[in-house]
Amino acid sequence: MATINLKKKEIEAKIVYYGPGRGGKTTNLEYIYKTYKKQVTGDMVSITTEGDRTLFFDFLPIGLGKIRGFDVRVSLYTVPGQVQYSSTRKLVLKEVDGLVFVADSLQVRREKNMISLKDMAQNLKDYGLNVFKVPLVFQYNKRDLAEEGFPILTVEQLDKDLNRQLKVPSLPASALKGDGVGATLKECLKLTLKSLKSQFQEGS
Amino acid sequence: MNVAVKIKTLLQEAELYRSQGLLKESIGKYRAAADILQKVDKVKNRDAYLEGIARKIRAVEKELDAFLNAPAAPEMTAAVQDLIKEKFAFAKDADSQPLEGAIALAKFGQYGRALEEFRSLLAKEPVKVAAAKNIIRCHISRESFDEGIEEFRQWDGDGLFSPQQLENLRVFFQGVLDKRGIEKTVEIAQSGAETFQEIESPELDLQLDQSDAGQEEELLDISSIGVLMEDGPQTGERVEFDVSFQSGKEISLLIPSREKGMIEHLRVGTKLNDIEFYSPFAMFQGAGIVTSNTKIATGPKRGDFSLDIKVTST
Ligand SMILES: Nc1nc2c(ncn2[C@@H]2O[C@H](COP(=O)(O)OP(=O)(O)O)[C@@H](O)[C@H]2O)c(=O)[nH]1
Ligand SMILES: [Mg+2]
C-alpha cells in the first residue's frame, strides 16, 4: 500500500512493470528516464546480469508534483522475467499500487505472455490482492516489428488472450521508439491515483 | 512461399530474436531454416550454408550458456544495497523496519551486507533474537558453518542473550544443521543449561509486515514452526515441529506418536498465540488455530498424528 503522509502532505506510490522476459519492461523505464527529465527525481537503478538482463529489478523514482495539495511521488519498478527469479519477482511486487503488464507482441512469445500473467495473478493473490481489483493496464509492445514484416500478434488476439476477462485499458506501444510509453504510464497513474483516493476515503 | 524466401525469413527472425535476447526462439528458427535447407535439392553450396547456420547456432548456444551460468546473486554496490534495504522494508515501527530491510538484503543474496545489518541489530533488545536467527540463516545459506558456530560462541561468551535465549538459538542452529545433514555440533560453553527452569516471558514479539495487518498476507514457504506451549507438560516451552505440507495459510504437521502427551493439548480449536515460523529466510512470529488433529490409521506413519493449523496472523 502507498504511504500517505497527511502531515507532510505526501503520497508515495509504487508501480510495477510486469511481463515475460525480454518483452520491453526495462526499455519502458529507460525511455521514461531519458524523456521525462522533469518528472524524474533520481537515478535509474538497473540490476542486470549476463546479456543485460534484469537480475532483480529496475528502479526509477518520479515525481508528479502537487495533486490537490499533495506531493505525489511514484517509484517505478520492473521485475525480472526469467523463471528462475520467481522469488525476487514476487518480492518486487510487494505492496504494489498499480501495474503495467508489458506483453510481447511477437507471436513466438504468445504463450509466455499468458504464463506471466497467470504468475502475476498468483503472486498478487499470495499478497491478498485481486488481479481484478488492482489498477492494471496492458501494454502491447514491439508493435514496430510489424512494419518490418515480423510475425506479431494482432491487438485483437492479444486482447483475447490476456484481457478478455480483465477488461482493463490496453495500449499499443513501441518502447524502443518511445511510442505509447508515456500514454501507458499516464493511464496506469490515473487508475492508481483513483484507486488510492478511494482506498483513502474508505479508510478515513 | 518460395523456399528461398522462406529460409531467408526464418534467418531474419532468428537474427531478430537473438538481438532481443530471445535465444531459445532464435535457435528454433535457425534449426527450422537448416531443416528446410536440408530437404530441398539443387542448392548450390548447401554444405557451406548449413555450416554457416550451425556456427550461428553454436554462438547463440554459447550466449545462452553464459546467461544460465551467470552468478545468481552477485555482490551489488553499496548504493544498490542501500536502496534494497530502504525500499524493501515495509514495516512502520522503528525496530522491525531495519530487520525487514536486512532480511530483504539476504533474500537478494547480499549476505555479507545482510550479516552486517543483522549484527548491528543484536544491540536492539526487541529484535535481537530474530537478528541472531537470521545471522544463523545467512551462514547456512553461505555455507559458512564454522564461521556461524564461531559467531554463536561469541554470543555465548559475550552474555548477549539470556541463557534461555541462547539455548533457543542453539536448538535452532542445531536443527537447521541437522536438517541439512551437516555433521557439526553447536554447544554452549558453560554448563548448567538445565538450571534455567524458570520460564521467561516471551521476548517482545517481532511482527514483521505489520503494515499489512488485516490484509491477506503471503505466507512464505515454512519449513518448521516453533509453538510456545500454553498448556500441558511442556507449558512455557517452545516446541519445534517440521511442516509436512503447506497450502496457503494452512500448514500441516506430523507429530510422532511418542509425543502423545502433547497432542491432547493441541485439540481442534486450540489457539496458539505464539508461533515462530521458520522459512528458509525469514523468521517471523504469529498465531494460529488448530483446525484438525487426527491419528494416522494406516501406512508407515501409523500411530502418528497429523495436525493442521490455520495461520491467523503473522
Ligand atoms: N523492436 C522492438 N524491440 C524492443 C521493443 N521494446 C524492447 N525491445 C527489445 O527487446 C529486448 C528486451 O527488452 P527489455 O526492455 O530488456 O525487456 P525486459 O526483459 O522486459 O526488461 C531488447 O533487446 C530491447 O531492445 C520494441 O518496442 N520494439
Ligand atoms: Mg528488464
Side-chain angles (χ1 to χ4, degrees):
Chain A
M1 239 293 271
T3 325
I4 299 178
N5 188 326
L6 286 178
K7 251 197 208 136
K8 289 202 225 157
K9 297 211 112 189
E10 269 174 13
I11 298 179
E12 226 185 294
K14 173 171 180 176
I15 288 182
V16 175
Y17 283 67
Y18 211 94
R22 319 309 283 160
K25 300 176 291 294
T26 299
T27 310
N28 264 274
L29 257 59
E30 281 168 347
Y31 184 82
I32 295 166
Y33 183 57
K34 271 193 324 225
T35 315
Y36 303 101
K37 291 221 168 73
K38 255 203 204 143
Q39 279 77 30
V40 170
T41 55
D43 276 339
M44 174 164 168
V45 177
S46 282
I47 305 173
T48 57
T49 176
E50 187 65 34
D52 239 9
R53 289 159 196 257
T54 305
L55 176 58
F56 293 150
F57 58 84
D58 301 300
F59 166 78
L60 176 63
I62 61 171
L64 306 181
K66 287 234 188 301
I67 300 179
R68 298 199 190 174
F70 278 86
D71 192 15
V72 181
R73 296 179 199 178
V74 184
S75 296
L76 305 180
Y77 289 86
T78 72
V79 296
Q82 283 64 34
V83 269
Q84 63 266 43
Y85 300 129
S86 71
S87 67
T88 46
R89 184 157 57 234
K90 189 165 170 180
L91 192 56
V92 174
L93 205 56
K94 192 165 183 181
E95 308 243 332
V96 65
D97 297 300
L99 284 156
V100 173
F101 187 93
V102 180
D104 194 326
S105 296
L106 280 168
Q107 259 174 28
V108 284
R109 299 298 278 174
R110 184 174 177 200
E111 208 190 336
K112 292 286 189 283
N113 288 331
M114 296 192 257
I115 293 171
S116 176
L117 182 61
K118 214 175 135 201
D119 174 64
M120 182 180 89
Q122 181 59 48
N123 283 334
L124 288 171
K125 197 172 159 209
D126 291 347
Y127 283 130
L129 297 170
N130 184 336
V131 70
F132 285 95
K133 292 185 183 154
V134 178
L136 167 68
V137 301
F138 281 105
Q139 178 185 74
Y140 302 148
N141 191 32
K142 304 191 187 174
R143 301 311 299 173
D144 58 294
L145 291 174
E147 293 150 31
E148 295 169 56
F150 287 109
I152 69 168
L153 300 157
T154 64
V155 166
E156 291 71 33
Q157 277 171 318
L158 283 157
D159 256 327
K160 225 166 121 190
D161 280 352
L162 307 169
N163 200 13
R164 203 170 31 164
Q165 296 180 324
L166 291 164
K167 296 193 170 59
V168 298
S170 63
L171 298 96
S174 170
L176 203 56
K177 300 186 171 170
D179 299 342
V181 171
T184 307
L185 177 60
K186 244 179 243 162
E187 189 64 38
C188 183
L189 284 169
K190 200 174 87 188
L191 295 182
T192 304
L193 292 174
K194 204 170 122 195
S195 151
L196 286 178
K197 194 177 151 212
S198 63
Q199 282 175 50
F200 182 58
Q201 279 166 348
E202 268 170 36
S204 62
Chain B
M1 209 191 290
N2 165 318
V3 174
V5 176
K6 210 167 173 178
I7 292 174
K8 195 174 152 216
T9 308
L10 285 169
L11 291 177
Q12 276 170 347
E13 270 187 67
E15 288 296 318
L16 172 77
Y17 301 154
R18 181 182 180 183
S19 75
Q20 300 215 336
L22 298 166
L23 304 178
K24 285 187 186 140
E25 286 82 354
S26 173
I27 292 170
K29 294 296 168 186
Y30 279 126
R31 291 220 170 105
D35 280 352
I36 296 178
L37 194 57
Q38 213 128 36
K39 283 184 200 122
V40 290
D41 335 300
K42 295 183 286 181
V43 191
K44 258 195 264 164
N45 305 326
R46 179 181 6 217
D47 286 349
Y49 278 127
L50 283 173
E51 177 45 36
I53 295 177
R55 216 179 304 130
K56 293 262 190 196
I57 293 178
R58 281 197 298 275
V60 182
E61 279 172 344
K62 220 169 133 189
E63 283 173 35
L64 192 61
D65 267 358
F67 163 62
L68 293 174
N69 294 326
E75 183 80 11
M76 313 278 167
T77 63
V80 169
Q81 291 176 340
D82 288 344
L83 182 77
I84 290 175
K85 187 183 145 192
E86 180 200 346
K87 294 291 175 187
F88 291 91
F90 301 96
K92 300 274 185 287
D93 75 291
D95 287 323
S96 314
Q97 210 213 11
L99 182 67
E100 208 186 352
I103 289 173
L105 282 165
K107 281 188 180 170
F108 283 117
Q110 307 302 296
Y111 299 120
R113 174 70 185 274
L115 277 170
E116 280 174 32
E117 300 287 333
F118 286 129
R119 282 174 190 141
S120 73
L121 293 171
L122 290 173
K124 286 195 176 187
E125 190 59 38
V127 294
K128 71 179 189 188
V129 173
K133 286 192 176 171
N134 280 295
I135 287 174
I136 293 169
R137 288 183 184 287
C138 277
H139 284 302
I140 300 284
S141 298
R142 292 206 307 184
E143 310 200 328
S144 51
F145 310 116
D146 291 330
E147 203 185 308
I149 291 173
E150 184 49 42
E151 190 153 1
F152 178 83
R153 275 203 199 110
Q154 278 171 23
W155 298 337
D156 186 3
D158 290 351
L160 191 58
F161 296 101
S162 74
Q164 172 128 8
Q165 286 173 330
L166 201 63
E167 173 59 12
N168 257 342
L169 290 170
R170 188 197 64 76
V171 169
F172 174 77
F173 199 168
Q174 193 65 59
V176 226
L177 288 173
D178 293 350
K179 209 165 288 165
R180 285 269 206 125
I182 294 146
E183 294 186 2
K184 291 190 187 287
T185 315
V186 191
E187 280 166 331
I188 295 176
Q190 329 97 300
S191 60
E194 283 111 331
T195 57
F196 308 113
Q197 291 289 6
E198 98 256 30
I199 298 140
E200 260 186 38
S201 63
E203 307 119 20
L204 182 68
D205 289 357
L206 162 78
Q207 298 235 283
L208 272 189
D209 298 327
Q210 264 183 343
S211 50
D212 298 344
Q215 210 175 298
E216 263 252 329
E217 236 307 279
E218 71 155 341
L219 213 48
L220 294 165
D221 285 340
I222 298 167
S223 46
S224 60
I225 64 171
V227 177
L228 189 76
M229 297 300 290
E230 293 173 40
D231 207 352
Q234 274 151 294
T235 300
E237 280 176 44
R238 193 174 291 285
V239 184
E240 206 169 321
F241 301 103
D242 276 344
V243 171
S244 54
F245 183 73
Q246 177 187 352
S247 157
K249 297 218 158 200
E250 296 266 0
I251 52 181
S252 305
L253 317 171
L254 207 63
I255 301 180
S257 53
R258 67 187 129 84
E259 311 265 26
K260 227 186 297 183
M262 184 187 311
I263 281 295
E264 289 173 34
H265 303 281
L266 294 169
R267 290 215 186 90
V268 173
T270 306
K271 289 206 179 92
L272 308 170
N273 296 310
D274 184 344
I275 308 178
E276 283 186 350
F277 299 92
Y278 311 127
S279 82
F281 238 97
M283 192 286 293
F284 52 99
Q285 228 135 1
I289 184 163
V290 178
T291 54
S292 117
N293 177 340
T294 41
K295 192 165 177 174
I296 299 170
T298 53
K301 304 273 182 203
R302 221 178 83 185
D304 290 350
F305 291 83
S306 166
L307 197 76
D308 291 341
I309 293 176
K310 185 171 172 57
V311 179
T312 50
S313 71
T314 53

